[in-house]
Amino acid sequence: MDQVTIPALDQDFIAAQNAPLAKALNEDYAALGRVLDRRGIAIDAITTAVGGFAVAAPTWAVGSGGTRFARFPMGGEPRNIFDKLDDCAVVHGLASATPTVSPHFPWDETEDMAAVKDYAAALGLGFDAVNSNTFQDHPGNALHPLSYKYGSLSHTDAAVRAQAVAHNIRCVELGEKLGSKALTVWIGDGANFPGQQHFGRAFDRYIQSTQAIYAGMPSDWSLFLEHKMFEPAFYATVIQDWGSSLLAAQATGDRCLCLVDLGHHAPNVNIEMIVSRLIHARKLAGFHFNDSKYGDDDLDAGAIEPYRLFLVFNELVEAAYRHTPGFKPSYMLDQSHNVTDPIESLMTSAVEVQRAYAQALLVDRAALDGFQDANDPMMASQTLKAAFTTDVQPILAMARSHKHAAINPLAAYRASGYRAAAAKVRPAKSGGSGGIV
């Protein structure tokens, strides 16, 4: 099968793109360095930290997404896991923030997973958490003969629950072949009508299923439970919030943790406080980064509420600053791109996540502690705002430059002609169908 040439992995191409931008970057970086120096902050230390920050790219996000109503395919969409890895390599090659990939099964399953691992390694990529799929049926798949229409891990039928558990354990087995160490479980189980489901018994069945999955995992693996407020169950969802997720994780085992997707909360929920609570309980698995205006919109990270993203990272940096025991969250982008080039959106999202991290590193922790203890809300708030309003773009660009990535990833990507080249090799997909993946 023909693969697309990847200019983003060509160091000569990237160097040529960076050359006319280097002088201005050095000037901007030096100017910002002087500003930070007056605050007692060493810019090079921040740049090094940002260069070491990584977030995983999901395989499903390199294709065109959609809504429940329609999906509008674009040229050059990936045909298989190998095409997806090519696209993920472009994202990482230019932005240098996504060295690992998070696959989804059975979508990304092949007969030779070792070949998948080798192909990724040749592209400079590794693998993050693997993801299971019991939120839809898989017609023609012999391992999924039963329907998940009325649930999976919490289904009233023990045979359906057993099938869902077996699928998750198979995902772990596939992940072992890729070098992964975590399984993320999100289910669409719930009810659309009052009285349709017994809340307590459904929750009990879910916990029994996660315990069975946990028992079938290697001792060095972690199980990430992902909650979501609604959709496809609009009246009640079995794991609808962080409280249900926490209760289930505590009942399942020490290596069972709670994953936070930024779009999976009720409007106006204080997500940064949820982060703090899960850190306190030592149950924070990590994040799926995206943004939202109305619900689970799966928009690009930082597109709507960049300050909220910063406040989330403020809690994360705070936990690291305090050397919180067991604090080692995993980070992944989880988005649906209906009107943009998925590669462009993933690159810009990775940059926005790094931006929030860099800004959080600029918070004067000692000053903030003092203002909090003195009950000075104005100065405490202004301490956070001083970090958030700092233009850290030179730090982000310099961190990429140090790693031989693109100073301007979006411009370099468009100059590469990758999308047009992919469209010539990969047959166009038909449109008109609904669904976000």
Side-chain angles (χ1 to χ4, degrees), residues 7-39:
L9 301 185
D10 185 334
Q11 288 300 306
D12 291 337
F13 169 79
I14 295 176
Q17 294 296 310
N18 286 348
L21 306 175
K23 183 176 183 293
L25 172 58
N26 289 331
E27 292 174 352
D28 293 345
Y29 187 79
L32 178 57
R34 289 190 292 271
V35 171
L36 295 181
D37 186 62
R38 290 195 294 269
R39 300 189 204 173

PDB file of all heavy atoms in Angstrom, residues 7-39:
ATOM      1  N   PRO A   7       7.377  15.266   4.611  1.00  0.00           N
ATOM      2  CA  PRO A   7       8.396  16.329   4.681  1.00  0.00           C
ATOM      3  C   PRO A   7       8.656  16.779   6.116  1.00  0.00           C
ATOM      4  O   PRO A   7       9.741  17.284   6.425  1.00  0.00           O
ATOM      5  CB  PRO A   7       7.768  17.463   3.857  1.00  0.00           C
ATOM      6  CG  PRO A   7       6.728  16.815   3.016  1.00  0.00           C
ATOM      7  CD  PRO A   7       6.221  15.657   3.817  1.00  0.00           C
ATOM      8  N   ALA A   8       7.663  16.614   6.988  1.00  0.00           N
ATOM      9  CA  ALA A   8       7.816  17.058   8.376  1.00  0.00           C
ATOM     10  C   ALA A   8       8.927  16.319   9.095  1.00  0.00           C
ATOM     11  O   ALA A   8       9.404  16.771  10.140  1.00  0.00           O
ATOM     12  CB  ALA A   8       6.504  16.876   9.136  1.00  0.00           C
ATOM     13  N   LEU A   9       9.335  15.161   8.571  1.00  0.00           N
ATOM     14  CA  LEU A   9      10.426  14.412   9.182  1.00  0.00           C
ATOM     15  C   LEU A   9      11.759  14.701   8.490  1.00  0.00           C
ATOM     16  O   LEU A   9      12.775  14.120   8.860  1.00  0.00           O
ATOM     17  CB  LEU A   9      10.119  12.910   9.132  1.00  0.00           C
ATOM     18  CG  LEU A   9       8.834  12.469   9.836  1.00  0.00           C
ATOM     19  CD1 LEU A   9       8.723  10.951   9.822  1.00  0.00           C
ATOM     20  CD2 LEU A   9       8.777  12.992  11.253  1.00  0.00           C
ATOM     21  N   ASP A  10      11.750  15.585   7.521  1.00  0.00           N
ATOM     22  CA  ASP A  10      12.959  15.956   6.788  1.00  0.00           C
ATOM     23  C   ASP A  10      13.581  17.172   7.473  1.00  0.00           C
ATOM     24  O   ASP A  10      13.044  18.281   7.409  1.00  0.00           O
ATOM     25  CB  ASP A  10      12.592  16.280   5.336  1.00  0.00           C
ATOM     26  CG  ASP A  10      13.814  16.562   4.468  1.00  0.00           C
ATOM     27  OD1 ASP A  10      14.847  16.999   5.020  1.00  0.00           O
ATOM     28  OD2 ASP A  10      13.726  16.363   3.243  1.00  0.00           O
ATOM     29  N   GLN A  11      14.728  16.978   8.107  1.00  0.00           N
ATOM     30  CA  GLN A  11      15.358  18.062   8.856  1.00  0.00           C
ATOM     31  C   GLN A  11      15.787  19.224   7.960  1.00  0.00           C
ATOM     32  O   GLN A  11      15.767  20.387   8.387  1.00  0.00           O
ATOM     33  CB  GLN A  11      16.556  17.520   9.640  1.00  0.00           C
ATOM     34  CG  GLN A  11      16.171  16.648  10.823  1.00  0.00           C
ATOM     35  CD  GLN A  11      15.319  17.407  11.839  1.00  0.00           C
ATOM     36  OE1 GLN A  11      15.692  18.467  12.309  1.00  0.00           O
ATOM     37  NE2 GLN A  11      14.165  16.846  12.165  1.00  0.00           N
ATOM     38  N   ASP A  12      16.137  18.938   6.729  1.00  0.00           N
ATOM     39  CA  ASP A  12      16.507  20.013   5.814  1.00  0.00           C
ATOM     40  C   ASP A  12      15.303  20.902   5.509  1.00  0.00           C
ATOM     41  O   ASP A  12      15.417  22.130   5.428  1.00  0.00           O
ATOM     42  CB  ASP A  12      17.078  19.444   4.510  1.00  0.00           C
ATOM     43  CG  ASP A  12      18.443  18.796   4.711  1.00  0.00           C
ATOM     44  OD1 ASP A  12      19.120  19.150   5.698  1.00  0.00           O
ATOM     45  OD2 ASP A  12      18.826  17.947   3.882  1.00  0.00           O
ATOM     46  N   PHE A  13      14.139  20.269   5.334  1.00  0.00           N
ATOM     47  CA  PHE A  13      12.921  21.030   5.073  1.00  0.00           C
ATOM     48  C   PHE A  13      12.577  21.922   6.263  1.00  0.00           C
ATOM     49  O   PHE A  13      12.279  23.114   6.112  1.00  0.00           O
ATOM     50  CB  PHE A  13      11.751  20.081   4.780  1.00  0.00           C
ATOM     51  CG  PHE A  13      10.407  20.758   4.765  1.00  0.00           C
ATOM     52  CD1 PHE A  13       9.989  21.492   3.672  1.00  0.00           C
ATOM     53  CD2 PHE A  13       9.560  20.680   5.870  1.00  0.00           C
ATOM     54  CE1 PHE A  13       8.757  22.136   3.664  1.00  0.00           C
ATOM     55  CE2 PHE A  13       8.329  21.319   5.877  1.00  0.00           C
ATOM     56  CZ  PHE A  13       7.923  22.045   4.766  1.00  0.00           C
ATOM     57  N   ILE A  14      12.634  21.357   7.467  1.00  0.00           N
ATOM     58  CA  ILE A  14      12.304  22.134   8.662  1.00  0.00           C
ATOM     59  C   ILE A  14      13.310  23.262   8.862  1.00  0.00           C
ATOM     60  O   ILE A  14      12.942  24.397   9.193  1.00  0.00           O
ATOM     61  CB  ILE A  14      12.251  21.219   9.901  1.00  0.00           C
ATOM     62  CG1 ILE A  14      11.095  20.218   9.767  1.00  0.00           C
ATOM     63  CG2 ILE A  14      12.103  22.044  11.180  1.00  0.00           C
ATOM     64  CD1 ILE A  14      11.012  19.216  10.892  1.00  0.00           C
ATOM     65  N   ALA A  15      14.587  22.977   8.648  1.00  0.00           N
ATOM     66  CA  ALA A  15      15.618  24.013   8.800  1.00  0.00           C
ATOM     67  C   ALA A  15      15.386  25.160   7.825  1.00  0.00           C
ATOM     68  O   ALA A  15      15.568  26.345   8.168  1.00  0.00           O
ATOM     69  CB  ALA A  15      17.001  23.403   8.581  1.00  0.00           C
ATOM     70  N   ALA A  16      14.972  24.828   6.609  1.00  0.00           N
ATOM     71  CA  ALA A  16      14.713  25.867   5.614  1.00  0.00           C
ATOM     72  C   ALA A  16      13.512  26.729   6.026  1.00  0.00           C
ATOM     73  O   ALA A  16      13.499  27.946   5.785  1.00  0.00           O
ATOM     74  CB  ALA A  16      14.459  25.231   4.250  1.00  0.00           C
ATOM     75  N   GLN A  17      12.519  26.102   6.622  1.00  0.00           N
ATOM     76  CA  GLN A  17      11.353  26.844   7.099  1.00  0.00           C
ATOM     77  C   GLN A  17      11.709  27.738   8.284  1.00  0.00           C
ATOM     78  O   GLN A  17      11.170  28.838   8.435  1.00  0.00           O
ATOM     79  CB  GLN A  17      10.238  25.873   7.502  1.00  0.00           C
ATOM     80  CG  GLN A  17       9.644  25.085   6.351  1.00  0.00           C
ATOM     81  CD  GLN A  17       8.947  25.980   5.346  1.00  0.00           C
ATOM     82  OE1 GLN A  17       8.122  26.814   5.707  1.00  0.00           O
ATOM     83  NE2 GLN A  17       9.287  25.818   4.075  1.00  0.00           N
ATOM     84  N   ASN A  18      12.627  27.255   9.129  1.00  0.00           N
ATOM     85  CA  ASN A  18      12.991  28.004  10.337  1.00  0.00           C
ATOM     86  C   ASN A  18      13.948  29.168  10.064  1.00  0.00           C
ATOM     87  O   ASN A  18      13.960  30.161  10.796  1.00  0.00           O
ATOM     88  CB  ASN A  18      13.637  27.071  11.361  1.00  0.00           C
ATOM     89  CG  ASN A  18      12.629  26.171  12.037  1.00  0.00           C
ATOM     90  OD1 ASN A  18      11.418  26.379  11.922  1.00  0.00           O
ATOM     91  ND2 ASN A  18      13.108  25.162  12.751  1.00  0.00           N
ATOM     92  N   ALA A  19      14.757  29.032   9.038  1.00  0.00           N
ATOM     93  CA  ALA A  19      15.833  30.002   8.792  1.00  0.00           C
ATOM     94  C   ALA A  19      15.364  31.465   8.787  1.00  0.00           C
ATOM     95  O   ALA A  19      15.950  32.311   9.476  1.00  0.00           O
ATOM     96  CB  ALA A  19      16.559  29.656   7.498  1.00  0.00           C
ATOM     97  N   PRO A  20      14.307  31.818   8.036  1.00  0.00           N
ATOM     98  CA  PRO A  20      13.918  33.234   8.010  1.00  0.00           C
ATOM     99  C   PRO A  20      13.243  33.723   9.295  1.00  0.00           C
ATOM    100  O   PRO A  20      13.018  34.925   9.454  1.00  0.00           O
ATOM    101  CB  PRO A  20      12.937  33.296   6.825  1.00  0.00           C
ATOM    102  CG  PRO A  20      12.415  31.914   6.687  1.00  0.00           C
ATOM    103  CD  PRO A  20      13.530  31.003   7.080  1.00  0.00           C
ATOM    104  N   LEU A  21      12.945  32.792  10.210  1.00  0.00           N
ATOM    105  CA  LEU A  21      12.256  33.151  11.449  1.00  0.00           C
ATOM    106  C   LEU A  21      13.185  33.213  12.651  1.00  0.00           C
ATOM    107  O   LEU A  21      12.811  33.717  13.714  1.00  0.00           O
ATOM    108  CB  LEU A  21      11.144  32.128  11.752  1.00  0.00           C
ATOM    109  CG  LEU A  21      10.114  31.877  10.640  1.00  0.00           C
ATOM    110  CD1 LEU A  21       9.160  30.756  11.059  1.00  0.00           C
ATOM    111  CD2 LEU A  21       9.346  33.147  10.324  1.00  0.00           C
ATOM    112  N   ALA A  22      14.392  32.699  12.500  1.00  0.00           N
ATOM    113  CA  ALA A  22      15.298  32.526  13.639  1.00  0.00           C
ATOM    114  C   ALA A  22      15.712  33.844  14.280  1.00  0.00           C
ATOM    115  O   ALA A  22      15.743  33.970  15.510  1.00  0.00           O
ATOM    116  CB  ALA A  22      16.524  31.728  13.206  1.00  0.00           C
ATOM    117  N   LYS A  23      16.031  34.848  13.462  1.00  0.00           N
ATOM    118  CA  LYS A  23      16.512  36.118  14.000  1.00  0.00           C
ATOM    119  C   LYS A  23      15.452  36.779  14.884  1.00  0.00           C
ATOM    120  O   LYS A  23      15.734  37.212  16.011  1.00  0.00           O
ATOM    121  CB  LYS A  23      16.915  37.052  12.865  1.00  0.00           C
ATOM    122  CG  LYS A  23      17.503  38.394  13.331  1.00  0.00           C
ATOM    123  CD  LYS A  23      17.963  39.217  12.138  1.00  0.00           C
ATOM    124  CE  LYS A  23      18.625  40.518  12.589  1.00  0.00           C
ATOM    125  NZ  LYS A  23      17.662  41.436  13.242  1.00  0.00           N
ATOM    126  N   ALA A  24      14.223  36.854  14.380  1.00  0.00           N
ATOM    127  CA  ALA A  24      13.146  37.468  15.149  1.00  0.00           C
ATOM    128  C   ALA A  24      12.871  36.684  16.422  1.00  0.00           C
ATOM    129  O   ALA A  24      12.600  37.260  17.488  1.00  0.00           O
ATOM    130  CB  ALA A  24      11.882  37.563  14.299  1.00  0.00           C
ATOM    131  N   LEU A  25      12.938  35.351  16.340  1.00  0.00           N
ATOM    132  CA  LEU A  25      12.713  34.536  17.523  1.00  0.00           C
ATOM    133  C   LEU A  25      13.770  34.826  18.585  1.00  0.00           C
ATOM    134  O   LEU A  25      13.445  34.990  19.767  1.00  0.00           O
ATOM    135  CB  LEU A  25      12.724  33.046  17.164  1.00  0.00           C
ATOM    136  CG  LEU A  25      12.682  32.071  18.349  1.00  0.00           C
ATOM    137  CD1 LEU A  25      11.444  32.303  19.204  1.00  0.00           C
ATOM    138  CD2 LEU A  25      12.732  30.621  17.862  1.00  0.00           C
ATOM    139  N   ASN A  26      15.007  34.887  18.186  1.00  0.00           N
ATOM    140  CA  ASN A  26      16.086  35.168  19.151  1.00  0.00           C
ATOM    141  C   ASN A  26      15.883  36.524  19.825  1.00  0.00           C
ATOM    142  O   ASN A  26      16.106  36.667  21.034  1.00  0.00           O
ATOM    143  CB  ASN A  26      17.444  35.113  18.457  1.00  0.00           C
ATOM    144  CG  ASN A  26      17.851  33.705  18.074  1.00  0.00           C
ATOM    145  OD1 ASN A  26      17.465  32.740  18.733  1.00  0.00           O
ATOM    146  ND2 ASN A  26      18.623  33.571  17.007  1.00  0.00           N
ATOM    147  N   GLU A  27      15.440  37.505  19.052  1.00  0.00           N
ATOM    148  CA  GLU A  27      15.202  38.830  19.616  1.00  0.00           C
ATOM    149  C   GLU A  27      14.034  38.800  20.609  1.00  0.00           C
ATOM    150  O   GLU A  27      14.117  39.358  21.712  1.00  0.00           O
ATOM    151  CB  GLU A  27      14.919  39.829  18.497  1.00  0.00           C
ATOM    152  CG  GLU A  27      16.123  40.106  17.608  1.00  0.00           C
ATOM    153  CD  GLU A  27      15.765  40.980  16.414  1.00  0.00           C
ATOM    154  OE1 GLU A  27      14.549  41.231  16.211  1.00  0.00           O
ATOM    155  OE2 GLU A  27      16.686  41.386  15.679  1.00  0.00           O
ATOM    156  N   ASP A  28      12.942  38.137  20.227  1.00  0.00           N
ATOM    157  CA  ASP A  28      11.772  38.058  21.103  1.00  0.00           C
ATOM    158  C   ASP A  28      12.088  37.266  22.371  1.00  0.00           C
ATOM    159  O   ASP A  28      11.623  37.609  23.465  1.00  0.00           O
ATOM    160  CB  ASP A  28      10.600  37.404  20.366  1.00  0.00           C
ATOM    161  CG  ASP A  28      10.080  38.265  19.229  1.00  0.00           C
ATOM    162  OD1 ASP A  28      10.423  39.462  19.184  1.00  0.00           O
ATOM    163  OD2 ASP A  28       9.342  37.729  18.373  1.00  0.00           O
ATOM    164  N   TYR A  29      12.864  36.211  22.202  1.00  0.00           N
ATOM    165  CA  TYR A  29      13.217  35.362  23.339  1.00  0.00           C
ATOM    166  C   TYR A  29      14.088  36.141  24.332  1.00  0.00           C
ATOM    167  O   TYR A  29      13.885  36.067  25.553  1.00  0.00           O
ATOM    168  CB  TYR A  29      13.957  34.123  22.838  1.00  0.00           C
ATOM    169  CG  TYR A  29      14.238  33.078  23.904  1.00  0.00           C
ATOM    170  CD1 TYR A  29      13.235  32.207  24.309  1.00  0.00           C
ATOM    171  CD2 TYR A  29      15.498  32.937  24.460  1.00  0.00           C
ATOM    172  CE1 TYR A  29      13.479  31.230  25.262  1.00  0.00           C
ATOM    173  CE2 TYR A  29      15.766  31.966  25.415  1.00  0.00           C
ATOM    174  CZ  TYR A  29      14.746  31.117  25.815  1.00  0.00           C
ATOM    175  OH  TYR A  29      14.997  30.156  26.762  1.00  0.00           O
ATOM    176  N   ALA A  30      15.032  36.899  23.807  1.00  0.00           N
ATOM    177  CA  ALA A  30      15.901  37.699  24.679  1.00  0.00           C
ATOM    178  C   ALA A  30      15.092  38.761  25.422  1.00  0.00           C
ATOM    179  O   ALA A  30      15.315  39.017  26.618  1.00  0.00           O
ATOM    180  CB  ALA A  30      17.013  38.344  23.859  1.00  0.00           C
ATOM    181  N   ALA A  31      14.147  39.396  24.725  1.00  0.00           N
ATOM    182  CA  ALA A  31      13.318  40.418  25.360  1.00  0.00           C
ATOM    183  C   ALA A  31      12.459  39.818  26.470  1.00  0.00           C
ATOM    184  O   ALA A  31      12.361  40.382  27.575  1.00  0.00           O
ATOM    185  CB  ALA A  31      12.430  41.092  24.314  1.00  0.00           C
ATOM    186  N   LEU A  32      11.839  38.668  26.203  1.00  0.00           N
ATOM    187  CA  LEU A  32      11.041  38.008  27.235  1.00  0.00           C
ATOM    188  C   LEU A  32      11.917  37.561  28.393  1.00  0.00           C
ATOM    189  O   LEU A  32      11.514  37.638  29.570  1.00  0.00           O
ATOM    190  CB  LEU A  32      10.294  36.810  26.637  1.00  0.00           C
ATOM    191  CG  LEU A  32       9.444  35.989  27.615  1.00  0.00           C
ATOM    192  CD1 LEU A  32       8.405  36.854  28.314  1.00  0.00           C
ATOM    193  CD2 LEU A  32       8.774  34.823  26.880  1.00  0.00           C
ATOM    194  N   GLY A  33      13.123  37.118  28.070  1.00  0.00           N
ATOM    195  CA  GLY A  33      14.060  36.704  29.118  1.00  0.00           C
ATOM    196  C   GLY A  33      14.345  37.829  30.100  1.00  0.00           C
ATOM    197  O   GLY A  33      14.439  37.611  31.318  1.00  0.00           O
ATOM    198  N   ARG A  34      14.472  39.054  29.565  1.00  0.00           N
ATOM    199  CA  ARG A  34      14.728  40.203  30.448  1.00  0.00           C
ATOM    200  C   ARG A  34      13.512  40.501  31.322  1.00  0.00           C
ATOM    201  O   ARG A  34      13.650  40.830  32.505  1.00  0.00           O
ATOM    202  CB  ARG A  34      15.101  41.419  29.597  1.00  0.00           C
ATOM    203  CG  ARG A  34      16.479  41.310  28.941  1.00  0.00           C
ATOM    204  CD  ARG A  34      16.902  42.622  28.327  1.00  0.00           C
ATOM    205  NE  ARG A  34      16.089  42.986  27.171  1.00  0.00           N
ATOM    206  CZ  ARG A  34      16.346  42.621  25.922  1.00  0.00           C
ATOM    207  NH1 ARG A  34      17.402  41.845  25.650  1.00  0.00           N
ATOM    208  NH2 ARG A  34      15.564  43.010  24.927  1.00  0.00           N
ATOM    209  N   VAL A  35      12.326  40.361  30.758  1.00  0.00           N
ATOM    210  CA  VAL A  35      11.101  40.587  31.536  1.00  0.00           C
ATOM    211  C   VAL A  35      11.005  39.579  32.676  1.00  0.00           C
ATOM    212  O   VAL A  35      10.725  39.936  33.827  1.00  0.00           O
ATOM    213  CB  VAL A  35       9.861  40.488  30.626  1.00  0.00           C
ATOM    214  CG1 VAL A  35       8.581  40.492  31.464  1.00  0.00           C
ATOM    215  CG2 VAL A  35       9.846  41.620  29.611  1.00  0.00           C
ATOM    216  N   LEU A  36      11.237  38.320  32.364  1.00  0.00           N
ATOM    217  CA  LEU A  36      11.134  37.278  33.379  1.00  0.00           C
ATOM    218  C   LEU A  36      12.245  37.383  34.416  1.00  0.00           C
ATOM    219  O   LEU A  36      12.042  37.071  35.593  1.00  0.00           O
ATOM    220  CB  LEU A  36      11.151  35.902  32.713  1.00  0.00           C
ATOM    221  CG  LEU A  36       9.958  35.586  31.794  1.00  0.00           C
ATOM    222  CD1 LEU A  36      10.089  34.182  31.211  1.00  0.00           C
ATOM    223  CD2 LEU A  36       8.639  35.739  32.526  1.00  0.00           C
ATOM    224  N   ASP A  37      13.398  37.822  33.969  1.00  0.00           N
ATOM    225  CA  ASP A  37      14.512  37.971  34.897  1.00  0.00           C
ATOM    226  C   ASP A  37      14.179  38.974  36.003  1.00  0.00           C
ATOM    227  O   ASP A  37      14.569  38.805  37.160  1.00  0.00           O
ATOM    228  CB  ASP A  37      15.772  38.404  34.146  1.00  0.00           C
ATOM    229  CG  ASP A  37      16.995  38.424  35.042  1.00  0.00           C
ATOM    230  OD1 ASP A  37      17.367  37.346  35.554  1.00  0.00           O
ATOM    231  OD2 ASP A  37      17.567  39.504  35.245  1.00  0.00           O
ATOM    232  N   ARG A  38      13.421  40.018  35.635  1.00  0.00           N
ATOM    233  CA  ARG A  38      13.017  40.991  36.647  1.00  0.00           C
ATOM    234  C   ARG A  38      12.060  40.383  37.669  1.00  0.00           C
ATOM    235  O   ARG A  38      11.909  40.897  38.766  1.00  0.00           O
ATOM    236  CB  ARG A  38      12.364  42.204  35.964  1.00  0.00           C
ATOM    237  CG  ARG A  38      13.347  43.063  35.187  1.00  0.00           C
ATOM    238  CD  ARG A  38      12.756  44.424  34.844  1.00  0.00           C
ATOM    239  NE  ARG A  38      11.633  44.337  33.917  1.00  0.00           N
ATOM    240  CZ  ARG A  38      11.772  44.394  32.586  1.00  0.00           C
ATOM    241  NH1 ARG A  38      12.987  44.487  32.041  1.00  0.00           N
ATOM    242  NH2 ARG A  38      10.714  44.341  31.804  1.00  0.00           N
ATOM    243  N   ARG A  39      11.413  39.265  37.295  1.00  0.00           N
ATOM    244  CA  ARG A  39      10.523  38.556  38.235  1.00  0.00           C
ATOM    245  C   ARG A  39      11.261  37.448  38.982  1.00  0.00           C
ATOM    246  O   ARG A  39      10.662  36.722  39.776  1.00  0.00           O
ATOM    247  CB  ARG A  39       9.354  37.917  37.470  1.00  0.00           C
ATOM    248  CG  ARG A  39       8.473  38.864  36.701  1.00  0.00           C
ATOM    249  CD  ARG A  39       7.261  38.084  36.209  1.00  0.00           C
ATOM    250  NE  ARG A  39       6.637  38.687  35.041  1.00  0.00           N
ATOM    251  CZ  ARG A  39       5.660  38.123  34.345  1.00  0.00           C
ATOM    252  NH1 ARG A  39       5.200  36.922  34.707  1.00  0.00           N
ATOM    253  NH2 ARG A  39       5.143  38.727  33.288  1.00  0.00           N
TER     254      ARG A  39
END
